[in-house]
Amino acid sequence: MKNLVFLGAPGAGKGTQAKRISEKYDIPHISTGDILRANIKAGTELGKLAKSYIDKGALVPDEVIIKVMQARLAEDDCKKGYLLDGFPRTIEQAKALDEITKVALAVNIAVDDEAVVARIAGRRMCACGESYHVSTHPSDVCDKCGAKLYQRDDDKEETVKSRLEVYYRQTAPLIEYYSAKGILVDVDGMKDVAEVTDSIIKVIDGNC
Ligand code: AP5
């Protein structure tokens, strides 16, 4: 069963790779960041709460996110497997996930901090979810739907710094958590997008 978790710093390429890998294996790509941003856009109570944390580069409280993911993972499409992008992000969330389902493989996309900052600073988004970069894929509008691209509010330099600090303090310990379970694989995220995808496919096919 392809029950997959993607780990990695902000901007490591989790979303970019998750899109490709979920299509290849026909499993749902579940991004907590996307779920929260959709709620912010829709003006829900969850969205209002999430925005106050996301704007500071802080994590939304565990109990809130865990409730969201309990509901999402209970949906029918997850019966064939899933790819989690941005969840779990704390040890508490990882323990909660273990109570809901059995993770088969955690893929850690490793990049250095300098690349993270450059990738995030140059990222441009489309409302449809497509992600672009000013140097590798420059555009003002989305190739897929034609909408105007924008920069995420939390991609501004000062917020990126907080997101990285939060990553090292709260999320990086998950590498050890999954390593101790014997289900962690590291992938070099510094290569180009297609090469990273190939490496991930190799580790999935070799382990699941
Ligand atoms: P979230 O949306 O999950 O953001 P993130 O983890 O910070 O990750 P990003 O989306 O910034 O980066 P990515 O790794 O997906 O990189 P991407 O593929 O886009 O979370 C946002 C916020 O929501 C959090 O800060 C928190 O507040 C809250 N939140 C979310 N989940 C939560 C949870 N579980 N608990 C609590 N709070 C939560 O790539 C980045 C750029 O690089 C793009 O421009 C891309 O084109 C480019 N790129 C990608 N790969 C390559 C490559 N190989 N070479 C060159 N460029 C590349």
Side-chain angles (χ1 to χ4, degrees):
M1 179 70 81
K2 295 199 168 38
N3 291 353
L4 310 172
V5 164
F6 276 8
L7 300 175
K14 302 180 296 296
T16 303
Q17 295 300 332
K19 219 173 229 313
R20 295 166 151 243
I21 297 294
S22 62
E23 277 166 18
K24 171 161 173 72
Y25 295 106
D26 190 28
I27 50 175
H29 166 201
I30 303 172
S31 154
T32 39
D34 287 349
I35 293 172
L36 296 174
R37 282 185 288 278
N39 274 274
I40 292 173
K41 203 171 165 205
T44 66
E45 286 309 311
L46 170 62
K48 282 177 202 156
L49 176 84
K51 187 168 165 44
S52 64
Y53 291 92
I54 292 175
D55 283 353
K56 288 186 290 203
L59 294 185
V60 174
D62 284 338
E63 62 273 20
V64 175
I65 292 288
I66 289 168
K67 234 168 134 183
V68 167
M69 289 304 284
Q70 277 167 339
R72 180 63 187 90
L73 286 163
E75 288 180 30
D76 267 0
D77 61 343
C78 295
K79 287 191 179 127
K80 57 185 175 182
Y82 51 75
L83 199 174
L84 305 185
D85 158 14
F87 179 89
R89 239 178 166 98
T90 62
I91 296 286
E92 206 54 46
Q93 291 181 16
K95 287 182 180 165
L97 179 61
D98 286 343
E99 284 178 18
I100 304 171
T101 175
K102 189 170 166 52
V103 174
L105 193 67
V107 178
N108 179 41
I109 304 177
V111 291
D112 61 43
D113 287 359
E114 223 173 279
V116 159
V117 173
R119 285 184 187 182
I120 292 185
R123 172 165 55 190
R124 297 295 179 269
M125 294 299 299
C126 177
C128 77
E130 281 301 303
S131 168
Y132 295 83
H133 194 277
V134 291
S135 39
T136 52
H137 194 159
S139 184
D140 290 329
V141 292
C142 178
D143 294 347
K144 294 223 165 128
C145 72
K148 197 168 162 20
L149 304 184
Y150 65 92
Q151 186 174 31
R152 265 169 53 176
D153 283 344
D154 63 341
D155 280 354
K156 307 273 157 58
E157 208 180 319
E158 55 293 359
T159 319
V160 172
K161 222 177 128 215
S162 315
R163 285 165 63 196
L164 259 178
E165 281 165 14
V166 166
Y167 166 75
Y168 282 114
R169 197 171 61 246
Q170 294 183 265
T171 307
L174 291 176
I175 295 172
E176 181 48 40
Y177 181 86
Y178 285 114
S179 179
K181 287 178 178 286
I183 56 168
L184 182 94
V185 286
D186 284 302
V187 163
D188 180 2
M190 295 298 291
K191 296 183 179 154
D192 73 32
V193 171
E195 283 180 284
V196 179
T197 307
D198 288 345
S199 311
I200 295 175
I201 290 171
K202 268 194 200 115
V203 297
I204 292 173
D205 288 347
N207 288 280
C208 297

